[in-house]
Amino acid sequence: MPRLISAMEGFGVIGIVILAGYIAARFRIGGPTAQMVLNRFSFFISSPCLMFAILSKQPIQDIFHPSIIVAFASALAVGALFLVLNSLFFHMKAADAIIGSLNSLYLNSNNIGLPVATYILGNPALVAPILVMQQALFTPVGLTALDVSTTGRFSAKEVLRQPLHQPLLLGSIGGIIVSAIAAKTGHYVIPDVIFKPISMIGDSAVPMILMAFGMSLRGSKPMRKGSNRRATATVVLLKNLIMPIIAFLVAYFLLGFRGTELYGCVVLAALPTGQNVYNYAARYNVGLTFARDGILLSTITSPVIIAVIAAVLT
């Protein structure tokens, strides 16, 4: 059971760093703004550097792997399924339903995806296609839908500008461009004196992300009275169970993936909901509790699902 052992070892590494963050928050090490500082530094500086360093060295054909089809199809399916279930059972307002759909389909490709890809799948570049797809497609569409549902107005300019506000996307695109140039010219065009500090800064991204997440767990109490518990349970079920099943079906039967390719697709589909969804809910002041509970519960249950996937696909 090498994959299961590898998954457990990977979660052990991830869990210890998260625990360090939780302990730091518990004893107020770093003060009340420590989590915010770690999150902002990793989001705006470390993670873009990491994605640039990884992708610029990655062969261009590996970046645009057919696995992106699996990620797109499975995400679109569960997002649409939640909207159908909402119309049948939950009857939430349009903006809240959009948050529920994003909760169901949006992968945590950064905070959890990067560590999982690094320590469990052994290749952090595997999250790059998902990250580009989400930031360039799902984020603009989701925010546009929220904008229309809350204000009644549509701004094409804001939709087109949205990807430019995503540092991770910019770092990824920069890395892809350098990779394409390297494939065309036959040599890496970034000198070591520039690449090495970028890579060094990028190496700090994963531990900062995990410690910041650990800090966020202190005092978290999901599913409080008055929250929409049925809808929350539904998004967690869709995200952590239905999405990996759809990913498996698409990867195995439609694309013919086997072995490591199949395993990677299904594990990444089992990642928890991205914390970006809470940011979007806060931006429009809709579904805040719903978004937070879905993210927290999917994050707690995701390791169990990934461990099962590792055991089944070994």
Side-chain angles (χ1 to χ4, degrees), residues 42-52 55 106 108-111 114 127-128 131-132 135 163-176 205 209 276:
S42 64
F43 181 78
F44 286 102
I45 300 177
S46 296
S47 293
C49 286
L50 177 63
M51 296 312 299
F52 178 87
L55 294 177
Y106 209 98
N108 193 332
S109 57
N110 181 31
N111 295 37
L114 275 174
V127 301
L131 190 150
V132 172
Q135 301 288 2
L164 300 178
H165 298 293
Q166 306 296 333
L168 277 168
L169 179 62
L170 298 179
S172 298
I173 291 174
I176 291 169
I209 288 168
N276 309 54

Side-chain angles (χ1 to χ4, degrees), residues 46-220:
S46 296
S47 293
C49 286
L50 177 63
M51 296 312 299
F52 178 87
I54 292 170
L55 294 177
S56 65
K57 294 277 189 176
Q58 195 80 0
I60 192 70
Q61 66 271 17
D62 291 346
I63 296 174
F64 293 102
H65 191 271
S67 60
I68 195 170
I69 298 172
V70 179
F72 177 78
S74 56
L76 194 63
V78 293
L81 183 54
F82 178 81
L83 294 178
V84 172
L85 292 173
N86 177 67
S87 66
L88 293 175
F89 302 108
F90 308 134
H91 308 297
M92 303 169 73
K93 293 180 180 178
D96 292 325
I98 293 166
I99 293 296
S101 182
L102 290 173
N103 247 350
S104 303
L105 66 84
Y106 209 98
L107 296 171
N108 193 332
S109 57
N110 181 31
N111 295 37
I112 303 298
L114 275 174
V116 166
T118 301
Y119 295 112
I120 294 177
L121 300 178
N123 183 7
L126 291 173
V127 301
I130 295 173
L131 190 150
V132 172
M133 174 189 70
Q134 291 189 156
Q135 301 288 2
L137 181 62
F138 289 151
T139 294
V141 171
L143 292 182
T144 300
L146 285 171
D147 207 36
V148 172
S149 63
T150 54
T151 67
R153 298 192 305 271
F154 172 78
S155 173
K157 183 179 179 181
E158 283 300 315
V159 175
L160 294 174
R161 287 176 55 190
Q162 193 58 47
L164 300 178
H165 298 293
Q166 306 296 333
L168 277 168
L169 179 62
L170 298 179
S172 298
I173 291 174
I176 291 169
I177 291 171
V178 172
S179 175
I181 294 172
K184 188 73 173 177
T185 62
H187 68 276
Y188 191 69
V189 295
I190 304 296
D192 281 350
V193 70
I194 295 176
F195 177 79
K196 285 183 177 179
I198 292 175
S199 179
M200 187 184 300
I201 294 170
D203 287 341
S204 68
V206 171
M208 282 200 295
I209 288 168
L210 293 176
M211 284 193 289
F213 179 70
M215 291 176 177
S216 72
L217 295 180
R218 182 176 180 267
S220 296

